[in-house]
Amino acid sequence: MSTSKSSYARLSDHANSTGSVLVGFLWGFAEGTAFFIVPDVYLGLVALFNWKRGLWAMAAAVVGALVGGSVMYSLAMQDLSGINLFLTRIPLINAEMAADIANKMQADGLITMVNGPLRGVPYKIYAVQAGGQSLPYLSFLFMTILARLERLLPVTLLAGGLGKRFSNFVEKHTGLVLVAYVLIWGIIYFLYYLRFR
């Protein structure tokens, strides 16, 4: 008689697999181009079940962001107005936000990127404005790494630490933990929507 795996076992298996690293890369790339949900959501979940794999997935997400950001940087060099229009069609991004970042980058340069994660401004906007202003590409890549790690690393470490500290609770009450996790991110996105609508 076969028994189906528990939610905990399925999530642990995924977190332990190389697939979690691949998803981290793809999510980092997608959020760096057109997707509007941050990779933190996925990375925190992986780290909750395996903190070491969470760090690998986070590193992959940073690499994905570098690739995605490079695509946006290049497209903006070719057609800034067109790619800015594309940005405004992505949920939770508007023309005022893009113009504000363009002005800040013109005034302060690429250092503006390190303020983005703390202000909740999507990384892709910085990539577009950097390319549109033809700011140094290698410096852009370096600042991308700093800007991505500034938020992804604390989220991954926090989730990993909680997962390790409360591993017995997570295993026994996986459904409750997942509901709480989804609610937390739902509240974060709702507050973000209220702030930038």
Side-chain angles (χ1 to χ4, degrees):
M1 178 172 143
S2 62
T3 57
S4 60
K5 281 188 175 181
S6 67
S7 297
Y8 180 83
R10 288 196 304 271
L11 288 166
S12 291
D13 286 350
H14 174 72
N16 286 314
S17 72
T18 54
S20 63
V21 177
L22 177 61
V23 173
F25 171 82
L26 293 174
W27 204 311
F29 174 83
E31 197 268 336
T33 52
F35 196 43
F36 63 96
I37 297 177
V38 294
D40 315 41
V41 176
Y42 177 73
L43 299 175
L45 191 62
V46 172
L48 196 59
F49 291 88
N50 185 321
W51 69 270
K52 289 182 181 177
R53 188 65 72 171
L55 289 174
W56 279 108
M58 181 212 65
V62 172
V63 174
L66 285 167
V67 177
S70 294
V71 169
M72 300 300 274
Y73 179 100
S74 178
L75 290 173
M77 288 187 77
Q78 308 297 320
D79 180 15
L80 179 58
S81 60
I83 200 71
N84 269 327
L85 181 61
F86 169 77
L87 281 178
T88 62
R89 293 179 176 162
I90 298 172
L92 305 176
I93 295 179
N94 56 42
E96 292 76 19
M97 189 186 295
D100 178 57
I101 297 306
N103 292 334
K104 282 183 168 58
M105 290 195 92
Q106 207 159 32
D108 302 323
L110 290 167
I111 194 68
T112 308
M113 291 176 69
V114 298
N115 298 323
L118 303 177
R119 297 179 59 220
V121 178
Y123 161 72
K124 60 184 70 67
I125 298 178
Y126 291 96
V128 166
Q129 304 314 322
Q133 295 178 28
S134 297
L135 297 176
Y137 178 65
L138 291 179
S139 298
F140 162 71
L141 293 180
F142 176 72
M143 295 307 290
T144 289
I145 294 170
L146 292 183
R148 296 287 75 194
L149 287 178
E150 184 178 2
R151 195 186 64 223
L152 298 184
L153 185 58
V155 167
T156 304
L157 289 176
L158 176 62
L162 289 172
K164 192 171 171 106
R165 175 67 180 84
F166 300 103
S167 59
N168 289 336
F169 182 87
V170 172
E171 184 171 0
K172 290 178 184 174
H173 306 283
T174 306
L176 179 63
V177 170
L178 290 177
V179 168
Y181 191 81
V182 170
L183 278 175
I184 289 168
W185 279 108
I187 291 168
I188 289 171
Y189 266 89
F190 178 70
L191 294 174
Y192 182 84
Y193 169 76
L194 292 179
R195 182 181 170 195
F196 288 106
R197 65 181 177 147

